[in-house]
Amino acid sequence: MSTQEHTAVAHLHRDDVRSRMGMWLFLFTELILFGGMFFLYAVYRFLHQADFHVAAKSMNILIGTVNTAILLTSSLTIALSIAALQNKKKILSLILQGITVIFGLLFLVNKYFEWSAEIHHGNYPGSPELISQSSGHILFFGLYYVMTGLHGLHVIIGMVVIMFMMRFTIKDVITPDHIVKLEAAGLYWHLVDIIWIFLFPLFYLIT
Amino acid sequence: MASDAAAVHSNSYETYLDYKGKHKGIFAWILSTDHKRIGILYMVALLSWFLVGMALGGLIRLELLTPGRTIVGPQTYNAFFTLHGVIMLFIFVIPGIPAVFGNFFLPIMIGAEDVAFPRINLLSWYLYIIGGILIILAIFLPGGAPDTGWTFYIPYSIRTSTNMIITLTAVFLLGFSSILTGLNFITTIHRLRAPGMDWFKMPLFSWALYATGWIQVIVTPIIGITLLLVIIERVFGVGIFDPALGGDPILFQHLFWIYSHPAVYIMAVPAMGVISEIIPTFSRRTIFGYKFIAYSSLAIALFGSLVWAHHMFAVGMSDSAEFIFSLLTFMVAIPSAIKVFNWTATLYKGSIQLDPPMLYSLAFIFLFSIGGLTGIIQGALSVDIHLTDTYFIVGHIHYVVFGTAGFGIFAALHYWLPKMIGKIYNMKTAKVAFWITFIGFNILYFPFFIMGWLGMPRRSYDYLPEYQVYHVISTVGSWIMISGILLMFYNLLKSVYTGKRVTERNLWGGETLEWTVPTPPPLTNFEKLPDVTVGPYEYKQNDIEVEEVK
């Protein structure tokens, strides 16, 4: 029996597969969380096709497209930051992580202007203009604010997480050999990206 | 495995209870990431909440002793049954067995030193505690305790002026805590099994926790988003569920039950795992149909996630949807019955010892059979139209949830608490408490079926005089059951302070790994990592070694 040597503590033994598995399970729960809203969207779209059609036309496709480009690029920069650190280029990795955070910020700034414009037009929950519209119209904007709002919250969380990763990288907690934390943060950022890739066509493109 | 453990002499180790970390006093507990201490933390919190929930249940029964007002007004009564449901379901039985006994014993049973993510484990305890504190705030803050019932049905939950936002936030956090526990256990079982511990050498309790973990991870996010949407609905009036703005309240019910039906299996499957441990131990027989029990846990997890709309047969779904959900409901009975038959087959020709854990387990089988069969009755469409929203469903839910998850927790307490603290309770008192509880339980809940069949509506503050006889019987039953439970708790609590010390490793002659480690377990569980060569219930091979350990 070879267990004599194993008296060491199993849980102190590093296991990157375990960390990744935990992260994937967590991302899975996030997908289901958003899945609940996509389910509601599907039902209401089916029930109010004409209203959704009209309401989606009033969305600003330009801002939506720019934001899609920003998020897709930021997914690239976070992936490159992992690759950079794996190649022992710490400074480059830090710069790329920083760029990802800046892209996240740009996305939110755009979102802010977009929401302000909609609110200015009276398209916000409970506004007299919106209440007077058909129920499909109300539901479209209700879902729009809730889904993009919750997505925006995830962008903020992702930015905070990546800022922590930058700190860890500076302090050499994350190194080319101990990179699993940065990988997990990257996975989270990709999730944020993927959800947006579905939100964009559902609210802006399908008219 | 037992021989290895026997070779290492005891008393030369530091137990997890004696361990002095860098923190002192209470902080040595609430900042500890040791899975055993977290299990105890959960146990203290859970059982305290159980007493609160039980007190509320007792008050509900007292109020229903006579028609009209007995002790409280209708608004207070509504708050009582809402809080009773929220506390018992979301704070007591859903975390229940996984959080207490899963945390404590899962790593030991599969030969690990801790769970996969010890710090996340502590985080989930904190989320649980914060959830509980918010419930307390919801009761006492101005606005008043929630009065919607534990189901939070729209539109009332967006119209009532009571503290709904706090209550919903609390349940949201409790759900998050539950997700983290499930995620932790799945990863632990995948990555931390000891050498030689392959999937089919795992104790059935670990299988049950594995299936439960998946249910928690798959369905809990749905209740999270649903309750979040109700909160958003209340704050901003977005109209997603509000019929006044075009939303559909029935969609809320779908989303709610997509979680809350599988939640029944989050409660019941771990309890079934406990029973699958206790039955072979106390009948000295290898479990009958190991693989069937293991797979049936997964089958229950799968089918149980597809039957939610049987809670909504009366809301006006299409006939074909009702037909499909009814059929799937019947199919859940198959894996459930597989378990019951395998347990009884294990008992056959066994050398049965009627110690307290075994008594609770046998009661479990009895109560689960009644609960399960009455579930089948309501799964039939035509009958359900007659029974929907009556006391029949209240009886069913109590037989299933309390009779299985509740009795599962009691069984687990009597089975494992001596191992956890190294002291044993008074056997005789435990048996007396069991019989009082069991008899009281049936006097309390069985009349529900009869008056439900006769048409007594659930959640009703007042009732027609012809139902009073059943309510009186039931209320008297509640007094009997509560005294039994209080006696049980007194006995267990007394054992913590003045109980007889036990040092033998294998208290009951069990064959799983937790009985090979010292009592109470040392900080890192094992003196040396076990190398597993035989399955969990192979009594014939191991009997002699067990005697040596004793």
Side-chain angles (χ1 to χ4, degrees), chain A residues 1 3 9-11 15 17-18 21-22 25-26 28-29 32-33 37 39-40 43-44 125 131 135 139 143 146 150, chain B residues 4 113 116-117 183 187 190-192 214 217-218 221-222 225 229 236 238-240 245-248 251 529 531:
Chain A
M1 210 181 303
T3 45
V9 262
H11 72 276
D15 179 6
V17 178
R18 182 202 308 170
M21 182 182 269
L25 281 170
F26 177 70
F28 179 59
T29 66
I32 294 175
L33 188 88
M37 285 185 297
F39 167 75
L40 288 170
V43 172
Y44 286 135
I131 297 277
S135 54
L139 284 170
L143 285 167
V146 171
L150 206 60
Chain B
D4 294 346
E113 309 259 337
F117 308 109
L183 183 153
T187 317
H190 270 282
R191 298 299 300 171
L192 292 182
W214 276 111
V217 165
I218 291 173
I222 300 283
I225 189 65
L229 286 172
F236 299 108
V238 289
I240 289 178
L245 296 170
D248 187 352
L251 274 180
L529 216 58
D531 196 351

Side-chain angles (χ1 to χ4, degrees), chain B residues 416-476:
Chain B
W416 279 318
L417 189 66
K419 183 78 194 175
M420 292 160 88
I421 57 170
K423 289 172 189 170
I424 193 146
Y425 47 83
N426 184 314
M427 285 285 172
K428 209 169 187 177
T429 318
K431 284 182 192 173
V432 172
F434 163 77
W435 283 111
I436 299 174
T437 308
F438 178 68
I439 292 166
F441 180 100
N442 285 295
I443 299 175
L444 165 53
Y445 295 120
F446 201 81
F448 284 18
F449 291 126
I450 302 168
M451 61 178 147
W453 192 265
L454 297 174
M456 169 76 206
R458 71 190 290 207
R459 289 178 173 172
S460 184
Y461 173 69
D462 201 358
Y463 54 84
L464 296 172
E466 62 252 40
Y467 296 117
Q468 195 181 3
V469 57
Y470 305 107
H471 278 296
V472 170
I473 295 172
S474 173
T475 303
V476 170

